[in-house]
Amino acid sequence: MASQKTSQTMKPETAAKKLNVYLPATPEEFRSGVVSRDELNALQADPPEWLRDLRRDGPHPRQVVAARLGVSNSALARNGISEALTTAEINALKAEMPEWLQRERATQAEVREEAARLKKRDAERGSPDA
């Protein structure tokens, strides 16, 4: 008995996360349906104009905003940034460089340095986690 292979599908929220885009800014046809694994792969391999525009100009989801600012998601929350930001808004924040952004970037740099130090230490010890 041969079984038919069905295509794996996901909710638009999941697909938007995988594409690193802000779901409310996507076209209605994307938000209202389900996305198959093949459709997701096609969007990643050859993004349509709307996806290229969203990735370039935004609005961007929280994790993308945090990465572009060089801070954590928690840093955004601590400093009242709860909505999606456009590329222009992110660039304006970087140009203005408010005190909170300087402080949070310094904290993030310390976290990365400590993680690198621990990774190096574990590698030297021959830890299986390294």
Side-chain angles (χ1 to χ4, degrees):
M1 181 189 266
S3 64
Q4 278 190 322
K5 185 174 181 181
T6 59
S7 179
Q8 181 183 16
T9 60
M10 61 194 83
K11 294 178 183 177
E13 295 86 359
T14 304
K17 282 183 184 178
K18 290 180 181 289
L19 293 169
N20 275 333
V21 295
Y22 184 57
L23 181 64
T26 60
E28 176 59 35
E29 59 270 11
F30 181 85
R31 289 185 305 234
S32 63
V34 294
V35 180
S36 73
R37 174 65 64 187
D38 292 338
E39 289 169 331
L40 179 69
N41 290 340
L43 287 170
Q44 289 172 323
D46 185 23
E49 188 65 31
W50 66 264
L51 183 53
R52 288 193 300 270
D53 290 346
L54 269 180
R55 286 177 168 169
R56 182 181 57 246
D57 302 325
H60 303 287
R62 189 179 188 89
Q63 71 272 15
V64 173
V65 172
R68 288 187 177 194
L69 289 174
V71 299
S72 66
N73 281 333
S74 300
L76 294 177
R78 278 192 296 272
N79 294 284
I81 308 288
S82 58
E83 69 282 349
L85 299 179
T86 64
T87 299
E89 292 168 325
I90 292 168
N91 291 339
L93 266 175
K94 287 162 82 173
E96 180 186 321
M97 196 56 77
E99 187 273 328
W100 71 263
L101 183 54
Q102 293 175 35
R103 185 180 64 248
E104 294 291 358
R105 286 177 113 178
T107 300
Q108 190 70 10
E110 290 171 13
V111 168
R112 283 192 297 268
E113 287 172 12
E114 180 65 7
R117 184 188 72 76
L118 292 174
K119 185 175 181 177
K120 181 180 178 189
R121 182 201 67 191
D122 291 347
E124 289 170 354
R125 290 181 178 173
S127 172
D129 293 341

